[in-house]
Amino acid sequence: MAKNHTVTLKELSKKLNISVSTVSRALNDHPDISPITVDRVKRLANELNYVPNLFAKGFRTKKTNILGVIVPNVSHIYTTTILKGILDEAELSGYRVIISESKNDETKQVEMLQTMIQFGADGILMSLAKKTSSVNKILSMLQRVPLVLFDKVSDKIPCTQIVIDEEEAAYNAVQHLIGLGKERIAILKETENSYNSEKRFAGYKRALEANNIPLKEKLILSTEDISLINGKRLTNVLLSMKKRPDAIFAITDNAAIGAIQTLNKFSIKIPEEIAVVGFSNSASATIITPSLTTVDQPGERLGRTATTYLIKEIQNPIEDLVTKTIEIKTNLVVRASTFKG
Amino acid sequence: MAKNHTVTLKELSKKLNISVSTVSRALNDHPDISPITVDRVKRLANELNYVPNLFAKGFRTKKTNILGVIVPNVSHIYTTTILKGILDEAELSGYRVIISESKNDETKQVEMLQTMIQFGADGILMSLAKKTSSVNKILSMLQRVPLVLFDKVSDKIPCTQIVIDEEEAAYNAVQHLIGLGKERIAILKETENSYNSEKRFAGYKRALEANNIPLKEKLILSTEDISLINGKRLTNVLLSMKKRPDAIFAITDNAAIGAIQTLNKFSIKIPEEIAVVGFSNSASATIITPSLTTVDQPGERLGRTATTYLIKEIQNPIEDLVTKTIEIKTNLVVRASTFKG
DNA sequence: AACGTTCCCGCAAACGTTTGCATAGTTTTT
DNA sequence: AAAAACTATGCAAACGTTTGCGGGAACGTT
């Protein structure tokens, strides 16, 4: 404890009277080394509490065992569950994780990507910033280091991408509403044609179609920022219509909660008059009254599989880059906002 | 783009016909180098897009420019705001951040600490796992690398610690209740004498004392895990008393929300009959009806200051380790659960 | 004119590890 | 018994950077 010096290969070699290279190879289970030597080396290394200098190692081998993660916002609740999955899975395979935020800023996103590569990350996990339009720079990075996209992805970037099966999730949600006898189902979506919004909208349309319910333009409301306040605002719009909807499918829990709050304000019965379903299964979904039926997204699992794929690609690099999408199934959590028990 | 080779100091030196060491010094603004040379070097470096090999650098200087962060749980909402502060501040000073979870497990916590040090983190930011009892190993790590504790801290560990001024926050919260004319104020706290719980309890007691309100043992309820469900349970206990409290101070938003839910269930008027205040200003505080008065903890600021202190200590190491606590002020957000507007 | 300073710069070692190549000793093949 | 092949090990270079030391040139001081 007192002598604060670090044990190196050279030291081990001296103590054992063998060369540094033999020690190195023994520690790395190189086939050339005899079992007895391997044993002696490992035993001493253990005893002396040898820890390899990862910098010398990384410097030499150009491998760092670091995974870079770039997300728009670390404090987004769904993101954190994904992060948890990433951290866990990475740890299992002996990787460290460095995390940074793009803050939904495209230039910052590229910057982070660059510094992470410069820093020597063995691979990158990224969830794209909103409105990521110029993918050129990202593409040029791609040939330097394996990249796996998750959650917010883009088919303009040829790499493996892990997403929630948004379309089916939305389909199931709407199907659930239809099963309750609802027919005038409004949707609260995003104006920006983000990947997620588009997919959920597609699921909505497919469910209606499958039940021969005509699409009504008036019931399709869009907003720039699909937040709680805008959920309120759009619900007010819906309530001002002569023929009100009998259900609302909000693309986001926040918007759904906004909807519930304004419905409550006007004492409209949920779900009898208007049922509501959200998307995310956020913590607030059980806080609001009535509690919110919503799509549960297995963020942790998403994080895990994204990491698994990335590590696989790091360990045996693939030659031809091609978009490969893995979809993770969700399930609908039914609560009071659609079900009177 | 095509030639995928990395520019090194040697290359620059060759192109400029000067030695490698001069190039290195020029890039690092060493005073020995003439301004003209510095300019030439920097110009070329820029042109050739030179990026230093951080591994060679870290290997040589033993500095990695990495900060390690260890928290019990990344997906805890308050934690994420702290993380945001850390990430931002670290980036400003050119540090990368690696994050991992202790999952409130003491052995895992030590493990993570070790690997981070082994990995070469220049400093560590840590929020302690619950019931961290044996601090010996942590202490022995301490002399290897600067450590700053935040949020969950312990005075058994001599280092700088950044916390919310819990005591004052609680004092203000209770003072607020007293200001409304409340006198029988119950507190929902933790059984485990965690730092946070103790401090908040102390603030509670001080406020009562300052107003000459005698402490009533019956109104002090403790639970192992201060969660939403337990908030409900304890509130039921309170309601079963012959002389009910006229206010509840819950040490946690979750517990406060549980309290509100059971009060609502029994149609007890909030705040007229019983007022409620929580602690954290979580997202759910505005979702519940009535909205919850709660203590806002400036997590981002806490993260920033913790990082600032750590970096300061990295850059000029302090000799004598001593516990030094920095407290960050909070403010009370008054909402409907204590105020009838 | 001799000396002391100051200013720039280069040489070379060092950090801890990996790895191609050489080599000594041993076993197998011819 | 000589040649070939294999086994286990060592030598030394290499990775890219920083830095102590030394020294030549230019300048200023007597």
Side-chain angles (χ1 to χ4, degrees):
Chain A
M1 179 74 2
K3 38 162 59 186
N4 189 12
H5 92 144
T6 61
V7 186
T8 90
L9 287 187
K10 198 198 298 185
E11 209 172 306
L12 294 182
S13 80
K14 218 171 276 175
K15 284 222 180 22
L16 290 170
N17 245 358
I18 55 181
S19 78
V20 181
S21 36
T22 305
V23 177
S24 169
R25 282 190 256 252
L27 255 15
N28 292 330
D29 289 312
H30 189 104
D32 270 7
I33 308 299
S34 76
I36 353 171
T37 316
V38 170
D39 187 65
R40 286 180 59 212
V41 171
K42 285 195 175 174
R43 198 181 299 277
L44 183 68
N46 215 305
E47 185 183 328
L48 260 48
N49 218 329
Y50 166 78
V51 293
N53 178 326
L54 294 183
F55 269 81
K57 200 166 189 159
F59 172 43
R60 192 56 228 270
T61 62
K62 315 245 186 226
K63 287 284 161 226
T64 61
N65 268 32
I66 292 187
L67 264 33
V69 177
I70 305 174
V71 292
N73 185 343
V74 281
S75 45
H76 189 294
I77 185 69
Y78 175 52
T79 303
T80 66
T81 62
I82 299 178
L83 286 181
K84 190 186 274 293
I86 293 177
L87 285 172
D88 283 0
E89 192 64 32
E91 196 199 340
L92 281 181
S93 306
Y95 282 84
R96 300 271 146 269
V97 173
I98 77 183
I99 299 176
S100 63
E101 273 188 345
S102 68
K103 296 185 193 304
N104 271 323
D105 177 22
E106 200 175 345
T107 26
K108 197 172 196 83
Q109 174 172 266
V110 175
E111 264 180 40
M112 307 271 37
L113 203 54
Q114 274 174 324
T115 52
M116 284 194 168
I117 291 177
Q118 167 189 157
F119 187 81
D122 289 348
I124 308 265
L125 290 164
M126 180 156 76
S127 177
L128 292 175
K130 261 181 197 169
K131 323 191 199 180
T132 296
S133 51
S134 79
V135 292
N136 296 333
K137 286 185 192 153
I138 299 181
L139 289 179
S140 74
M141 298 277 125
L142 236 180
Q143 37 210 110
R144 310 274 224 116
V145 63
L147 171 72
V148 167
L149 257 33
F150 63 90
D151 195 33
K152 314 282 187 218
V153 305
S154 158
D155 46 19
K156 289 185 203 147
I157 303 176
C159 67
T160 80
Q161 325 205 341
I162 322 285
V163 291
I164 293 295
D165 190 344
E166 314 261 4
E167 201 268 357
E168 191 186 273
Y171 175 86
N172 288 340
V174 176
Q175 187 68 48
H176 167 69
L177 288 172
I178 295 173
L180 297 173
K182 304 295 186 180
E183 291 188 328
R184 298 183 52 78
I185 303 172
I187 181 170
L188 271 37
K189 63 185 266 296
E190 268 180 317
T191 313
E192 293 296 323
N193 47 1
S194 75
Y195 180 90
N196 309 44
S197 185
E198 282 302 299
K199 286 286 185 180
R200 293 174 196 180
F201 185 41
Y204 166 82
K205 284 190 292 192
R206 184 159 67 86
L208 293 187
E209 207 169 305
N211 291 274
N212 291 318
I213 300 178
L215 206 66
K216 298 210 177 53
E217 284 296 338
K218 281 188 194 157
L219 296 181
I220 303 170
L221 299 191
S222 301
T223 173
E224 190 82 18
D225 173 33
I226 185 81
S227 61
L228 195 145
I229 322 183
N230 276 324
K232 285 186 177 179
R233 190 173 59 75
L234 294 182
T235 306
N236 274 315
V237 173
L238 287 173
L239 293 182
S240 70
M241 294 170 41
K242 51 246 140 218
K243 205 155 165 29
R244 289 177 175 176
D246 54 15
I248 299 176
F249 170 43
I251 236 169
T252 269
D253 268 8
N254 275 337
I257 287 171
I260 289 183
Q261 286 181 338
T262 87
L263 293 181
N264 280 341
K265 185 169 143 201
F266 292 108
S267 303
I268 292 172
K269 287 204 171 60
I270 306 173
E272 294 86 344
E273 295 181 59
I274 300 183
V276 179
V277 10
F279 206 114
S280 277
N281 196 16
S282 63
S284 304
T286 58
I287 306 295
I288 189 80
T289 316
S291 59
L292 178 66
T293 293
T294 181
V295 175
D296 183 55
Q297 300 168 281
E300 201 167 330
R301 193 141 61 86
L302 191 149
R304 300 191 89 94
T305 56
T307 309
T308 310
Y309 274 92
L310 180 61
I311 292 178
K312 208 184 299 171
E313 284 187 22
I314 290 174
Q315 285 167 353
N316 29 355
I318 48 178
E319 55 308 332
D320 53 338
L321 295 170
V322 58
T323 305
K324 173 180 167 188
T325 306
I326 288 99
E327 293 189 326
I328 296 196
K329 300 299 178 191
T330 59
N331 64 312
L332 189 70
V333 182
V334 177
R335 298 209 184 88
S337 72
T338 63
F339 182 72
K340 206 70 187 179
Chain B
M1 178 73 6
K3 37 161 62 187
N4 189 11
H5 93 142
T6 61
V7 186
T8 91
L9 287 187
K10 198 199 296 187
E11 209 173 305
L12 294 181
S13 80
K14 216 171 278 174
K15 283 222 181 20
L16 291 170
N17 243 359
I18 55 183
S19 79
V20 180
S21 37
T22 304
V23 177
S24 169
R25 282 191 255 253
L27 254 16
N28 292 330
D29 288 313
H30 192 287
D32 267 8
I33 308 299
S34 76
I36 353 172
T37 316
V38 170
D39 187 65
R40 285 180 60 212
V41 171
K42 287 196 174 173
R43 199 182 298 276
L44 183 67
N46 215 306
E47 186 183 327
L48 259 49
N49 218 329
Y50 166 78
V51 294
N53 179 325
L54 294 183
F55 270 81
K57 199 165 189 159
F59 171 44
R60 190 58 228 271
T61 62
K62 315 245 184 226
K63 288 283 163 226
T64 62
N65 268 32
I66 292 187
L67 264 34
V69 178
I70 304 175
V71 292
N73 183 343
V74 282
S75 45
H76 189 295
I77 185 69
Y78 175 52
T79 304
T80 65
T81 63
I82 298 178
L83 285 181
K84 190 186 274 292
I86 293 176
L87 285 172
D88 283 0
E89 193 64 33
E91 196 198 339
L92 280 181
S93 307
Y95 282 84
R96 299 272 147 268
V97 174
I98 77 184
I99 299 176
S100 63
E101 273 188 345
S102 67
K103 296 184 191 304
N104 271 322
D105 176 22
E106 201 175 345
T107 26
K108 197 171 195 83
Q109 176 172 265
V110 176
E111 265 180 41
M112 307 271 35
L113 203 54
Q114 274 174 324
T115 52
M116 282 194 168
I117 290 176
Q118 168 190 157
F119 188 81
D122 289 347
I124 307 266
L125 290 164
M126 180 156 76
S127 178
L128 292 175
K130 261 181 198 169
K131 323 191 199 179
T132 296
S133 51
S134 80
V135 291
N136 296 333
K137 286 184 192 153
I138 299 181
L139 289 178
S140 74
M141 298 276 125
L142 237 181
Q143 38 210 109
R144 311 274 225 116
V145 63
L147 172 73
V148 167
L149 257 34
F150 64 90
D151 195 31
K152 313 283 187 218
V153 305
S154 158
D155 46 18
K156 288 185 204 150
I157 304 176
C159 66
T160 80
Q161 325 205 342
I162 322 283
V163 291
I164 293 297
D165 189 343
E166 314 261 3
E167 202 268 358
E168 192 187 273
Y171 176 86
N172 289 339
V174 176
Q175 188 68 49
H176 167 68
L177 288 172
I178 296 173
L180 297 172
K182 303 295 187 179
E183 289 188 330
R184 297 183 53 79
I185 303 173
I187 181 170
L188 271 37
K189 65 186 265 297
E190 269 181 316
T191 314
E192 294 294 325
N193 48 1
S194 74
Y195 180 91
N196 308 45
S197 184
E198 283 302 298
K199 287 286 186 181
R200 292 174 197 180
F201 184 41
Y204 166 81
K205 284 189 292 191
R206 184 160 67 87
L208 293 186
E209 208 170 305
N211 291 273
N212 293 317
I213 300 177
L215 206 66
K216 298 209 179 53
E217 284 297 337
K218 282 188 194 158
L219 296 180
I220 303 171
L221 300 190
S222 301
T223 174
E224 189 82 18
D225 174 34
I226 184 81
S227 61
L228 194 146
I229 322 182
N230 276 323
K232 285 186 180 181
R233 190 173 58 76
L234 294 181
T235 306
N236 275 315
V237 172
L238 287 173
L239 293 183
S240 69
M241 294 169 43
K242 50 248 136 213
K243 206 156 165 26
R244 288 178 175 176
D246 54 14
I248 299 176
F249 170 43
I251 238 170
T252 269
D253 268 9
N254 275 338
I257 287 171
I260 289 183
Q261 286 181 338
T262 88
L263 293 181
N264 280 341
K265 186 169 142 202
F266 292 108
S267 302
I268 292 173
K269 286 204 171 60
I270 307 172
E272 294 85 344
E273 295 180 59
I274 300 183
V276 180
V277 11
F279 206 114
S280 277
N281 196 16
S282 64
S284 305
T286 57
I287 306 293
I288 190 80
T289 316
S291 59
L292 178 66
T293 293
T294 181
V295 175
D296 183 55
Q297 300 168 283
E300 200 167 330
R301 192 141 61 86
L302 191 150
R304 300 191 90 93
T305 57
T307 310
T308 311
Y309 274 91
L310 180 61
I311 292 178
K312 208 184 297 171
E313 284 186 24
I314 290 173
Q315 285 167 353
N316 29 356
I318 49 178
E319 55 307 333
D320 53 338
L321 294 170
V322 58
T323 305
K324 174 180 167 189
T325 307
I326 288 99
E327 294 190 324
I328 297 196
K329 300 298 178 191
T330 59
N331 64 312
L332 190 70
V333 183
V334 178
R335 299 209 183 88
S337 72
T338 64
F339 182 72
K340 206 69 189 178

